[in-house]
Every structure is written in structure tokens, then in C-alpha cells.
Amino acid sequence: MKIGIDLGGSHIGLGVINSDNNILENYEKDFTEEEKKDILPVIENYIINMVNNIKKQYDIEEIGIAVPGVTKNGIILRTINLGINNYNISKKISENLHIPVKLRNDAKCACLAEYAHMVKEDSSLKDITMLFLTIGTGIGGGVIYNGKLLEGHMFEGYELGHIVIKENGIPCKCGKNGCFEKYGSILEYKKKVKQRLNIPENVNADPLREIMKARREEIADIDNQYISDLALGISNLINIFEPDTIVLGGGYSHFSYMFGNSLKDAIVNSNLLFNKRNDIDLRIAKLGNDAGIIGSIL
Ligand SMILES: [Zn+2]
């Protein structure tokens, strides 16, 4: 058995995973505002205590952690939402539990998990080039080529949400301006919708969708601009990677049905593609919140 962990800015998920990549047991914890002030010991203690308990029942050979940031050789180099930088979390945990620990960026973990799931359902897709984007608070992603995740040597690379789509555009948390994620993330879209419709910040996705359904006309221009920005970013990535399949995950998957075919139409019809094609295979991710947990051990 392996243990997969999905680390987020306000949440940690942990699963016991068998050799078929199925989650047998699932645990989660939301961080309190108090805990967020000094999050590192909270994360480490939670993992160590949970795994110590799970070890009584299962033989655990490896732990994987999906990290919302940049990692290298078991070290968290940079996270924006967690405030953990240049820290060797895998050393601390593996020394304590005597189990090897591996880290990888969470979007790339989700990319691996979605790819593995897709191939499990249809083995003929094994050799595809897949572009995966997790469209949530920001935009992360990964590219699968010849069955493997593409990665940089210096850093993990493939920071797909941080290609610039507008010169001198909106400042991004990464320090640059005009990044794709400042226009294409579902967070930015929801912010604009809530502002327009006078909906409080704390309204969740379900009630928000209900309100939006009834008031679509009032946000039509926001929808159009959002789809147009998404199409621009995705088309740039298509021109580079020429993927057979594009999988979109993250919070976007809860809103995608509202946009119908408009995203695909915008990609195909907006004169954005170098190689003109109509057969854009755009799919919605299947694994939801499990993608990070499963992908962390892949
Ligand atoms: Zn950026």
C-alpha cells in the first residue's frame, strides 16, 4: 500500500492507495485560521500521526505528497498560499516514519492521475499527448507525452498558468503581470460574477450556480470575456504541444456545463490556432478531489 497526500492552502487530504491506484481509505482535515498562522508543524504532525495509525493496519511502502507549489528532490522550494519555502519536508517525515517520501507539484500530480485513469478506461489512449489544466484558484497543469509527464531539470517547469496573455496586465502572485491564470482561473471569474450580481464573497459554488442560472443575461459579457481569455491561453498551449486531448479540472469542472460548447468554439473559430483543426478533444477531469491524492503516488 501507499499513502497519497494532497496538500492545499486550507485543507489536507490523505488516502491509503492500493496497487490498482484505488483509494481504500480517505481522511481529511481543514486548517483553522489559528493553525494557518504556523502551518508547518500542523501539517507534519497530522501526517505523522495519521500514518502511524494507518501503519498498524497496512504495510506502507511509500508516501507521496502533492504540493501547491514548486518542489525539487523532496524539498518544498516555494509555495504561495502555504508560506513554506526551501524546506525539506520529506526528510523530516521519512526520518520519523521510516518510509520514503516523494513530493511533486499538485497540478502535475493531478495530471498523472487523470492520465492513468483515462488509460485504465481505454488502453488505446496510452500514447496520446495530453494537456491537463487545473482551473481553480489559479491555473496549474502538466503535459503527458509518450506516457510520461514532461518535466524540467532545473525546476519542475511547465508553469502553464503563468504564460503571459496580456502585456502589463493584472499583477499575478508569481510577481509577473498579465499571467493566464489572472484571466482564466475560476476564482477570477467567480469574483467578477459576484461583484456584478452583488453576491457576498462567502457564497459557495452550489448556491452561486443557482443564482447564476437565473441571471445569466446580467453576466453575459463576463462569460464571453472569460471564455475568450480561456481560449487564448489554451490555444497558445495547443500551438506548442499539439495535444490529442485536453483535460480541464479544478473548480472549472463545476461550472463548465454552463458554457456549453462555447470554449471549444472559441478555440476553433477565433483564429488562434497555427494548425487549423476542428477536432479539439476537450474533456472534463473525472477524479475531482481524488486526483491529487492518487497522483501523488504516481
Ligand atoms: Zn503568474
Side-chain angles (χ1 to χ4, degrees), residues 161-163 171-182:
H162 298 279
I163 55 170
C172 178
K173 280 184 293 187
C174 74
K176 302 192 292 129
N177 288 68
C179 287
F180 178 28
E181 74 169 31
K182 295 308 292 180

Side-chain angles (χ1 to χ4, degrees), residues 85-100:
N85 300 301
N86 292 313
Y87 182 73
N88 196 333
I89 194 169
S90 60
K91 186 163 180 265
K92 165 95 189 223
I93 293 172
S94 62
E95 279 179 359
N96 210 296
L97 292 167
H98 307 290
I99 300 171

Side-chain angles (χ1 to χ4, degrees), residues 118 121-122 125 245-249 281-286:
M118 200 157 76
E121 287 194 328
D122 181 354
L125 298 174
T245 296
I246 301 158
V247 180
L248 305 178
D281 180 19
L282 213 54
R283 303 178 184 211
I284 296 301
K286 295 257 178 82

